[in-house]
Amino acid sequence: MRKTNMAYRVMVGVSIIFILYSLVRHYVFDPEATAFLSHKTGLKRELNLPVWLKIMYIHVAFACLAMAAGLVNFSRFILEKHRKIHRINGYVYVVSVMMVVLTSGYMAPYSTGGKINSIAFNIINIIWPVITVMAIVQIKKKRIVKHRNYMIRSYAFCFMNILIHLITFMFNEGFGLAYTSSYTYGLYSSFVLLLILPDLIIRYLNKIEKNKTSGTYFS
């Protein structure tokens, strides 16, 4: 129990830092996304900057909301003491994910690195909502543990952006690779990691909860 509590606290800390960083970066320090757009060279589609920026603002806002909503719903206190809040917040999470995917679908053709990265984002835009809908299906069938497991898989994708930029930074600054190549490595590495890591977490939780009542969450 202590280990799961600690894991939840770490997740809370990381999520809050990422949310604050994203909001400040995109709405305060660089609202025109100058730094990010500087790497988008050789686009085959003309980028309508005003429209793209508006879509990006919506994308960032719902990404932060999805991360916050998911974080709240992994709280065992909310689950056990405030079931109605848990349920309503769950739908907030689902709507937020769908909005992130929808806006990402618009921005995918303008991805840094071109078509190879656009394809990856489009695949993610299919997998993420499917996993999220599966979480809803499982809870409708009263399959609490399976619902939790699908939510873990879904929530992992909330960290996609930060993971991409961390790995991109590692390849770009650490190994001296070109930014475009580094971004491609970052994108595909993150995609693979976010498919593998959730199941490792699920196995760990199943192991420590083997002799406990099913349906407990992180905290």
Side-chain angles (χ1 to χ4, degrees), residues 43 48 52 55 58 63 99 105 130 144 163 183 197 201 203:
L43 292 176
N48 186 325
W52 187 91
I55 297 297
I58 296 172
M99 288 300 297
V130 168
I144 298 175
L163 200 54
Y183 189 84
L197 291 178
I201 293 171
R203 289 184 185 182

Side-chain angles (χ1 to χ4, degrees), residues 74-111:
F74 277 118
S75 168
R76 190 175 61 182
F77 174 77
I78 295 295
L79 174 64
E80 294 180 350
K81 304 296 183 180
H82 302 282
R83 288 293 183 92
K84 187 175 182 179
I85 293 176
H86 178 88
R87 190 180 303 111
I88 294 172
N89 193 58
Y91 286 111
V92 171
Y93 173 80
V94 172
V95 171
S96 298
V97 168
M98 297 308 170
M99 288 300 297
V100 171
V101 167
L102 183 64
T103 51
S104 177
Y106 171 83
M107 295 188 292
Y110 307 103
S111 298

Side-chain angles (χ1 to χ4, degrees), residues 197-212:
L197 291 178
D199 278 277
L200 294 179
I201 293 171
I202 290 167
R203 289 184 185 182
Y204 173 74
L205 291 175
N206 289 340
K207 182 178 178 181
I208 64 176
E209 294 174 359
K210 190 174 182 180
N211 298 319
K212 298 177 182 179

Side-chain angles (χ1 to χ4, degrees), residues 20-35:
L20 292 176
Y21 169 78
S22 296
L23 293 175
V24 171
R25 176 189 176 190
H26 292 96
Y27 295 107
V28 180
F29 289 139
D30 192 11
E32 299 298 319
T34 305

Side-chain angles (χ1 to χ4, degrees), residues 9-19 67 159 162:
R9 291 192 186 101
V10 170
M11 187 170 70
V12 168
V14 171
S15 298
I16 290 175
I17 290 171
F18 177 67
I19 290 171
M67 181 170 281
F159 294 89
I162 188 172

Side-chain angles (χ1 to χ4, degrees), residues 13-164:
V14 171
S15 298
I16 290 175
I17 290 171
F18 177 67
I19 290 171
L20 292 176
Y21 169 78
S22 296
L23 293 175
V24 171
R25 176 189 176 190
H26 292 96
Y27 295 107
V28 180
F29 289 139
D30 192 11
E32 299 298 319
T34 305
F36 186 63
L37 290 173
S38 66
H39 300 291
K40 294 185 181 296
T41 57
L43 292 176
K44 293 185 178 180
R45 295 190 183 188
E46 183 179 355
L47 192 150
N48 186 325
L49 185 58
V51 175
W52 187 91
L53 285 173
K54 289 179 181 178
I55 297 297
M56 185 203 69
Y57 295 149
I58 296 172
H59 180 79
V60 171
F62 277 102
C64 290
L65 184 57
M67 181 170 281
L71 189 65
V72 169
N73 267 17
F74 277 118
S75 168
R76 190 175 61 182
F77 174 77
I78 295 295
L79 174 64
E80 294 180 350
K81 304 296 183 180
H82 302 282
R83 288 293 183 92
K84 187 175 182 179
I85 293 176
H86 178 88
R87 190 180 303 111
I88 294 172
N89 193 58
Y91 286 111
V92 171
Y93 173 80
V94 172
V95 171
S96 298
V97 168
M98 297 308 170
M99 288 300 297
V100 171
V101 167
L102 183 64
T103 51
S104 177
Y106 171 83
M107 295 188 292
Y110 307 103
S111 298
T112 302
K115 188 174 182 179
I116 188 172
N117 290 345
S118 297
I119 292 172
F121 278 116
N122 285 325
I123 292 173
I124 293 167
N125 290 339
I126 294 172
I127 292 176
W128 193 7
V130 168
I131 293 174
T132 305
V133 169
M134 284 301 299
I136 299 174
V137 171
Q138 296 305 322
I139 198 59
K140 292 294 184 182
K141 294 182 178 180
K142 309 299 181 182
R143 298 170 180 171
I144 298 175
V145 174
K146 288 187 177 181
H147 167 69
R148 180 201 66 182
N149 293 346
Y150 274 105
M151 279 302 301
I152 291 172
R153 296 184 182 105
S154 174
Y155 190 65
F157 281 96
C158 288
F159 294 89
M160 187 77 187
N161 188 57
I162 188 172
L163 200 54
I164 289 173

